[in-house]
């Protein structure tokens, strides 16, 4: 799956300069980098919620794309309806809800959930649908340890079962190591494959506070 | 004054045919105009609030201006358009409830549009982002936005209805306050007061205030649900 090269400029400031890359179906690609390095802009442009400079087509229009933004949103309806949204795969939805420990809340109002629960619900909403490319922007940032482990398992399973490529934006290097088969390292809006610079970044961000299976990369 | 109040209560309780006719005309006019305003105003309000398109800002400014349009100016405009010498004179709509409804729709639709636009502006970004992230098209996103705005839609309707039922300037000019035909509560209060028939005026005033109170209670309850 090809991601074409694109740039993004706000005013006179170029915030992203992406050279393009290939993604492999069934595999997870982690996107790491410091705050403001362009990770979320990259994810939003791929998802189509932000346009690249010159309205460049970043992905083939044949590729179906699912996107979980950094801030999850709950619609004014029950948790189960938030996930189904007129879809009818109830069994799949209940299995995902169960895995994410949301089963007891399935009839609760979406707006009554906590931040972590809303993130789980938003993830479940994507996991019950098929996409060729799933883009997740820090999906586990507000989840507890148990939720993070379940989410990681479900995302990995999704990539394999649906033969989908997954882009996982994360600040957790341990998570990237556990889940991803490739890493895109963003440095000041550019993809950086300089081993020395990456080494420096990893030394600086090497510990993942409170991360299950912590260890860094 | 005391006698007028007593007589007013007596008129309400006895169900005077004239009073009932005025109430029926008022209900027909204000329910129809507020419903049409809702059907027109909600989609436009959602569009203005959710979509950034060329010319949106001038349209929003024009709508805000129309929100404050004096009812008599609206009445004058429709009077001129539909009077015998006006371009639509042949339609013979002047001094009919139909034209009163049309004039009210023009008056209250901007209120619905403005109220929806303000609300939807606040929720559009995350709803649009989530819908887009799920691969939904514009139509599904619109319905999701409408679903998110359901209490605001009710609230806008009640605001529109309250404005319609209490409006006097436009309806008196285009309706003419003809007894048993186009006389509504507000025009009847003016008319009966001028004629010295205070009791009927007070009776109508009591009913109008009661309806206004009920509408405001409903709006307050809805606002409570919106903020919770």
């Amino acid at each position: 799956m090809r991601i074409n090269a694109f740039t993004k400029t706000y005013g006179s400031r170029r915030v992203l300069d992406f050279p393009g890359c290939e993604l492999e179906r069934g595999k997870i690609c982690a996107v790491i980098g410091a705050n403001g390095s362009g990770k979320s802009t990259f994810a939003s442009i791929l998802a189509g919620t932000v346009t690249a400079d010159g309205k460049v087509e970043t992905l083939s229009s044949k590729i179906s794309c699912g996107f979980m933004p950094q801030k999850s949103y709950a619609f004014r309806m029950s948790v189960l309806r938030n996930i189904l949204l007129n879809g009818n795969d109830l069994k799949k939805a209940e299995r995902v809800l169960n895995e994410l420990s949301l089963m007891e809340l399935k009839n609760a109002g979406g707006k009554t959930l906590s931040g972590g629960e809303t993130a789980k619900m938003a993830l479940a909403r994507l996991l019950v649908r098929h996409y060729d490319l799933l883009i997740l922007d820090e999906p586990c940032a507000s989840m507890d340890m148990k939720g993070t482990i379940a989410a990681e398992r479900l995302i990995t399973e999704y990539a394999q079962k649906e033969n989908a490529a997954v882009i996982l934006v994360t600040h957790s290097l341990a998570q990237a190591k556990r889940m991803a088969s490739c890493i895109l390292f963003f440095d000041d809006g550019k993809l950086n494959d300089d081993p020395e610079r990456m080494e420096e970044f990893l030394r600086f961000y090497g510990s993942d506070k409170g991360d299950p299976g912590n260890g860094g990369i | 004054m005391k006698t007028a109040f007593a007589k007013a209560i007596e008129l309400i309780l006895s169900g005077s045919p004239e009073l009932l006719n005025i109430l029926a005309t008022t209900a027909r006019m204000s329910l129809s105009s507020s419903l049409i305003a809702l059907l027109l105003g909600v989609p436009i309000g959602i569009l203005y609030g959710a979509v950034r398109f060329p010319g949106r800002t001038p349209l929003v400014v024009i709508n805000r201006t129309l929100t404050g349009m004096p009812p008599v100016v609206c009445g004058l405009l429709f009077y001129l358009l539909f009077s015998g010498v006006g371009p639509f004179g042949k339609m013979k709509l002047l001094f009919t409830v139909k034209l009163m409804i049309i004039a009210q729709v023009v008056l209250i639709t901007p209120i619905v549009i403005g109220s929806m636009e303000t609300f939807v502006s606040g929720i559009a970004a995350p709803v649009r982002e989530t819908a887009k992230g799920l691969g939904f098209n514009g139509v599904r996103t619109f319905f999701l936005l409408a679903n998110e705005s359901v209490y605001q839609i009710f609230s806008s309707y009640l605001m529109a209805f309250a404005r319609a039922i209490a409006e006097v300037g436009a309806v008196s000019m285009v309706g003419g306050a003809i007894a048993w035909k186009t006389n509504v509560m507000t025009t009847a209060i003016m008319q009966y007061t001028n004629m010295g028939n205070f009791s009927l005026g007070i009776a109508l005033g009591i009913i109008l205030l009661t309806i206004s109170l009920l509408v405001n209670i409903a709006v307050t309850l809805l606002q409570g649900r919106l903020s919770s």
Side-chain angles (χ1 to χ4, degrees), chain A residues 48 66-67 73 76 85 111 131, chain B residues 130 133-134 140 147-148 150:
Chain A
F67 173 51
Y73 185 82
R76 198 193 53 77
L85 286 169
K111 299 274 190 205
Y131 299 104
Chain B
T130 307
L134 288 160
R140 279 195 88 173
N147 183 65
E148 292 300 284
V150 72

Side-chain angles (χ1 to χ4, degrees), chain A residues 47-49 65-67 69 73-77 85-86 111 125-126 129 131, chain B residues 123 126-136 140 144 147-151:
Chain A
T49 59
C65 190
F67 173 51
Y73 185 82
F75 294 112
R76 198 193 53 77
M77 52 183 79
L85 286 169
N86 299 336
K111 299 274 190 205
R125 198 156 50 194
L126 290 167
R129 293 172 167 79
Y131 299 104
Chain B
I123 60 159
V127 171
R128 229 179 18 223
E129 187 180 44
T130 307
K132 178 91 182 164
L134 288 160
F136 291 173
R140 279 195 88 173
L144 279 172
N147 183 65
E148 292 300 284
S149 317
V150 72
Y151 292 121

Side-chain angles (χ1 to χ4, degrees), chain B residues 120-199:
Chain B
V120 171
S121 294
I123 60 159
V127 171
R128 229 179 18 223
E129 187 180 44
T130 307
K132 178 91 182 164
L134 288 160
F136 291 173
N137 60 18
V139 176
R140 279 195 88 173
T141 307
F142 171 84
F143 282 109
L144 279 172
L145 275 166
N147 183 65
E148 292 300 284
S149 317
V150 72
Y151 292 121
Q152 187 64 25
I153 292 172
F154 279 120
S155 177
S156 301
Y157 175 74
L158 290 173
M159 272 195 288
F161 176 76
R163 174 82 191 258
I165 203 167
E167 198 278 311
V168 61
V171 291
S172 65
M173 287 183 83
V174 300
I178 303 164
W180 301 95
K181 193 185 169 201
T182 59
N183 215 6
V184 290
M185 280 198 277
T186 49
T187 53
I189 290 172
M190 274 174 60
Q191 204 176 51
Y192 290 122
T193 307
N194 288 340
M195 287 157 63
N197 188 351
F198 294 111
S199 48

Side-chain angles (χ1 to χ4, degrees), chain A residues 46-105:
Chain A
L46 280 189
T49 59
V50 173
T51 48
D53 291 343
K55 295 183 180 171
V56 167
E57 198 179 66
T58 55
L59 291 162
S60 156
S61 56
K62 286 177 191 161
I63 295 170
S64 61
C65 190
F67 173 51
M68 179 174 168
Q70 221 171 71
K71 267 194 173 177
S72 303
Y73 185 82
F75 294 112
R76 198 193 53 77
M77 52 183 79
S78 75
V79 171
L80 188 61
R81 279 195 62 205
N82 254 286
I83 292 168
L84 288 173
L85 286 169
N86 299 336
N88 49 17
D89 202 341
L90 184 66
K91 262 191 179 172
K92 205 173 183 181
E94 287 190 332
R95 191 186 78 80
V96 175
L97 276 174
N98 204 29
E99 292 267 346
L100 290 168
S101 314
L102 281 181
M103 199 58 179
E104 282 178 20
L105 294 169

Side-chain angles (χ1 to χ4, degrees), chain B residues 87-103:
Chain B
F88 304 113
K90 282 183 184 163
M91 293 171 82
K92 298 201 181 302
L93 282 176
L94 197 62
F95 306 133
T96 63
V97 176
K98 275 183 190 162
L99 190 59
M100 290 158 73
I101 292 170
I102 294 169

Side-chain angles (χ1 to χ4, degrees), chain A residues 59-186:
Chain A
L59 291 162
S60 156
S61 56
K62 286 177 191 161
I63 295 170
S64 61
C65 190
F67 173 51
M68 179 174 168
Q70 221 171 71
K71 267 194 173 177
S72 303
Y73 185 82
F75 294 112
R76 198 193 53 77
M77 52 183 79
S78 75
V79 171
L80 188 61
R81 279 195 62 205
N82 254 286
I83 292 168
L84 288 173
L85 286 169
N86 299 336
N88 49 17
D89 202 341
L90 184 66
K91 262 191 179 172
K92 205 173 183 181
E94 287 190 332
R95 191 186 78 80
V96 175
L97 276 174
N98 204 29
E99 292 267 346
L100 290 168
S101 314
L102 281 181
M103 199 58 179
E104 282 178 20
L105 294 169
K106 73 172 185 177
N107 293 319
K111 299 274 190 205
T112 65
L113 301 184
S114 70
E117 288 165 343
T118 307
K120 287 179 187 175
M121 187 191 69
L123 179 65
R125 198 156 50 194
L126 290 167
L127 295 179
V128 297
R129 293 172 167 79
H130 170 77
Y131 299 104
D132 298 320
L133 173 63
L134 191 60
I135 304 158
L136 307 169
D137 193 354
E138 297 184 42
C140 305
S142 52
M143 289 183 199
D144 55 25
M145 206 176 282
K146 196 180 161 199
T148 302
I149 293 168
E152 287 183 2
R153 192 174 55 240
L154 285 168
I155 294 165
T156 310
E157 188 187 296
Y158 182 91
Q160 288 160 0
K161 273 192 180 170
E162 303 285 334
N163 194 27
V166 176
I167 289 180
L168 175 77
V169 178
T170 180
H171 273 292
S172 164
L173 299 173
Q175 184 176 62
K177 188 184 176 186
R178 279 194 301 273
M179 298 177 71
S181 58
C182 76
I183 290 180
L184 298 176
F185 170 50
F186 277 83

Side-chain angles (χ1 to χ4, degrees), chain B residues 23-228:
Chain B
L23 288 177
T25 311
T26 310
R28 188 183 150 205
M29 177 197 69
S30 40
L31 286 171
S32 306
S33 60
S34 49
L35 198 65
I36 296 167
L38 190 79
L39 293 172
L40 292 172
V42 167
I44 298 174
I46 292 178
L47 183 77
Y48 285 7
V51 186
R52 298 288 175 267
F53 54 89
R56 176 191 167 274
T57 307
L59 287 171
V60 169
V61 171
I62 290 169
N63 187 69
R64 284 179 192 157
T65 309
L66 290 176
T67 306
M69 178 161 71
V72 283
V73 174
C74 178
L76 175 67
L77 183 75
F78 277 90
Y79 187 93
L80 293 173
L81 288 173
F82 287 88
S83 66
V85 291
F88 304 113
K90 282 183 184 163
M91 293 171 82
K92 298 201 181 302
L93 282 176
L94 197 62
F95 306 133
T96 63
V97 176
K98 275 183 190 162
L99 190 59
M100 290 158 73
I101 292 170
I102 294 169
Q104 284 211 325
V105 168
V106 171
L107 266 180
I108 60 181
T109 302
I111 298 171
V112 178
I113 294 174
S115 147
M116 289 304 299
E117 184 258 317
T118 308
F119 180 79
V120 171
S121 294
I123 60 159
V127 171
R128 229 179 18 223
E129 187 180 44
T130 307
K132 178 91 182 164
L134 288 160
F136 291 173
N137 60 18
V139 176
R140 279 195 88 173
T141 307
F142 171 84
F143 282 109
L144 279 172
L145 275 166
N147 183 65
E148 292 300 284
S149 317
V150 72
Y151 292 121
Q152 187 64 25
I153 292 172
F154 279 120
S155 177
S156 301
Y157 175 74
L158 290 173
M159 272 195 288
F161 176 76
R163 174 82 191 258
I165 203 167
E167 198 278 311
V168 61
V171 291
S172 65
M173 287 183 83
V174 300
I178 303 164
W180 301 95
K181 193 185 169 201
T182 59
N183 215 6
V184 290
M185 280 198 277
T186 49
T187 53
I189 290 172
M190 274 174 60
Q191 204 176 51
Y192 290 122
T193 307
N194 288 340
M195 287 157 63
N197 188 351
F198 294 111
S199 48
L200 196 52
I202 292 168
L204 287 164
I206 291 169
I207 295 167
L208 200 57
L209 273 175
T210 309
I211 293 169
S212 179
L213 177 73
L214 292 173
V215 167
N216 275 298
I217 289 171
V219 170
T220 310
L221 289 173
L222 280 171
Q223 278 168 345
R225 295 231 27 196
L226 275 171
S227 57
S228 67

